[in-house]
Amino acid sequence: MIRKVSNIMVRDFTVVDVLNGVRFIKELALKKDIDNFLVAENNEIVGIITKKQLIAAHPNRIAADVMLNNFVCVSIDTSIWKVKEIFNKNDIDISLVKNGENIEGFITEEILNVELGKHIDLLTGLYKSDYIFYKAIELVENNREMSLIFIDVNKFGYINKEYGHVCGDMILKDIADLLKEFTAPDLHVCRFGGDEFIVLTPYYIDKSEIKAREILKAVNEYEFVNRIPVTISAGIAGKTDFMNKDTDINSVILKLVNTASLASTKAKKDKRGLFVVCDENIDQIA
C-alpha cells in the first residue's frame, strides 16, 4: 500500500576513490552516462558527488575536494513520504540508502518527485489515499489521537448527468480547494476516489465534528459553476486506544476509513449532513 525507498532507489551505483581526479571522474561519467558517484576511503563510503558538483568542479581537483561529506542516510524500509520530509528538513537532493550497516544504493529528489507525482490526483491536486494512510500510521505510532472525516458529494451522479462531466469536474476541484482552505497545517486531505474525500485530523471526535461542520457550511454557501446546488455528507470515526503489542496498525486504520465511509452514507440517507461514530459504537457500524 505505502511505497518504500526500496521500490524506487538506484541500486546500480559506481564508487570512486577519494583520491581520484575530477578529470577521471568526468570522463567516467561521460563514458558510462553516470550522474552520481559514491566516494570511498579505505573501503568506507565517505561522500557523494552529484552531477551538479561534478560540472562545477575544476578538472585538476580530486574527489575529496568536491564531494558532499555531510550526506544523509535513510533505511531501505523508509516510506517515500518520510524521505520527502527528510529531504525538505535537511535541504538535500540526494540520500544514501542503507540496509542495516550496508549501503544498498541512493535516492535522488528527482526520482522521489517522479514517484510522488503518481500519488497526486491530477484533477484536484490533492494526494491520493496512500498519503493519508502514511500520516495515519504516523499518528498511531506516536500515540496521538486521530479521527477521520469522510466526505462525499450528494447526488453527484445526477449532477454529472444533468450538467455534464466537465461541470462535475469543476465542482470536485472547487470542493478540493475549499478543503485546502479550511484545513490547518496539522490536518491532511486526500481525494479518496470519485466524489469522495478524507480529512485526517490529530483530534478526537468532538473537535473534528466542529471542523466537519465548518466544511459543510462552506460548501453549502459556496457558489459553484452555473450556480449548481451542491451539498456534501460527512461521516466521522475516531478511536484513541490504538496501541498494544498485538495491534495491527493497518487494520485499525482500514477499519476507521470503512467506518467513516459508512457513517457518511448513513448521513446521506438520513439527510442529516453529518453522522458521528464514537469509540463505543464503532464496532457496531463497521
Side-chain angles (χ1 to χ4, degrees):
M1 183 182 297
I2 298 176
R3 299 273 283 175
K4 298 181 179 180
V5 173
S6 57
N7 300 126
I8 61 172
M9 61 184 276
V10 176
R11 296 176 183 271
D12 184 16
F13 56 88
T14 300
V15 179
V16 295
D17 189 82
V18 71
L19 296 177
N20 283 149
V22 168
R23 189 188 307 277
F24 166 77
I25 299 172
K26 284 185 175 183
E27 291 173 354
L28 191 60
L30 288 172
K31 182 179 179 180
K32 295 191 175 183
D33 192 24
I34 301 170
D35 288 338
N36 302 287
F37 294 86
L38 305 192
V39 183
E41 183 177 21
N42 298 324
N43 295 319
E44 180 183 352
I45 301 300
V46 294
I48 305 171
I49 297 178
T50 68
K51 185 176 182 179
K52 183 178 179 181
Q53 276 81 47
L54 199 56
I55 290 174
H58 191 282
N60 291 336
R61 307 301 290 269
I62 62 173
D65 297 327
V66 299
M67 70 182 189
L68 299 170
N69 55 15
N70 58 340
F71 55 87
V72 174
C73 292
V74 298
S75 168
I76 197 169
D77 294 322
T78 307
S79 76
I80 58 173
W81 309 106
K82 185 64 177 179
V83 175
K84 181 63 175 176
E85 293 174 359
I86 292 171
F87 273 39
N88 290 342
K89 181 180 179 180
N90 294 280
D91 192 25
I92 57 175
D93 55 16
I94 188 169
S95 170
L96 297 185
V97 181
K98 298 182 77 173
N99 186 2
E101 294 301 315
N102 299 321
I103 301 294
E104 294 283 335
F106 64 87
I107 176 75
T108 67
E109 187 175 34
E110 181 180 3
I111 293 171
L112 183 62
N113 287 339
V114 169
E115 178 62 29
L116 290 175
K118 300 174 185 177
H119 300 271
I120 295 175
D121 177 59
L122 295 179
L123 175 64
T124 64
L126 295 175
Y127 281 122
K128 299 177 184 178
S129 59
D130 280 9
Y131 178 68
I132 290 295
F133 278 93
Y134 162 66
K135 298 305 292 188
I137 289 172
E138 190 176 71
L139 288 175
V140 173
E141 289 178 339
N142 289 310
N143 292 318
R144 297 284 304 278
E145 291 180 348
M146 183 183 78
S147 55
L148 292 168
I149 306 172
F150 193 100
I151 296 166
D152 72 44
V153 183
N154 297 327
K155 299 180 179 178
F156 189 69
Y158 168 79
I159 290 173
N160 273 337
K161 290 178 182 178
E162 184 70 16
Y163 301 99
H165 285 76
V166 171
C167 287
D169 285 350
M170 293 173 70
I171 288 169
L172 292 178
K173 189 176 185 308
D174 285 343
I175 290 174
D177 290 341
L178 285 171
L179 291 176
K180 294 174 192 174
E181 180 181 341
F182 275 84
T183 51
D186 58 345
L187 306 184
H188 306 282
V189 186
C190 81
R191 183 182 181 190
F192 190 72
D195 61 329
E196 300 166 336
F197 301 86
I198 289 179
V199 180
L200 172 69
T201 82
Y203 317 139
Y204 192 51
I205 287 176
D206 53 354
K207 192 171 180 180
S208 293
E209 183 176 349
I210 295 171
K211 177 58 63 177
R213 293 194 184 281
E214 290 177 358
I215 294 170
L216 288 168
K217 184 174 183 291
V219 172
N220 287 339
E221 295 176 351
Y222 189 82
E223 186 174 306
F224 289 92
V225 59
N226 297 335
R227 298 193 174 183
I228 298 171
V230 178
T231 60
I232 60 175
S233 294
I236 304 176
K239 203 168 180 64
T240 55
D241 56 336
F242 291 116
M243 298 305 295
N244 60 61
K245 63 179 182 179
D246 299 319
T247 299
D248 180 348
I249 297 177
N250 286 321
S251 66
V252 170
I253 295 168
L254 285 169
K255 186 174 184 179
L256 280 179
V257 171
N258 191 54
T259 303
S261 170
L262 292 172
S264 174
T265 300
K266 186 168 180 58
K268 183 179 292 192
K269 288 180 179 178
D270 295 348
K271 298 181 179 180
R272 66 173 76 179
L274 180 67
F275 189 85
V276 179
V277 183
C278 300
D279 279 355
E280 57 267 20
N281 58 10
I282 192 171
D283 291 320
Q284 297 175 15
I285 190 170

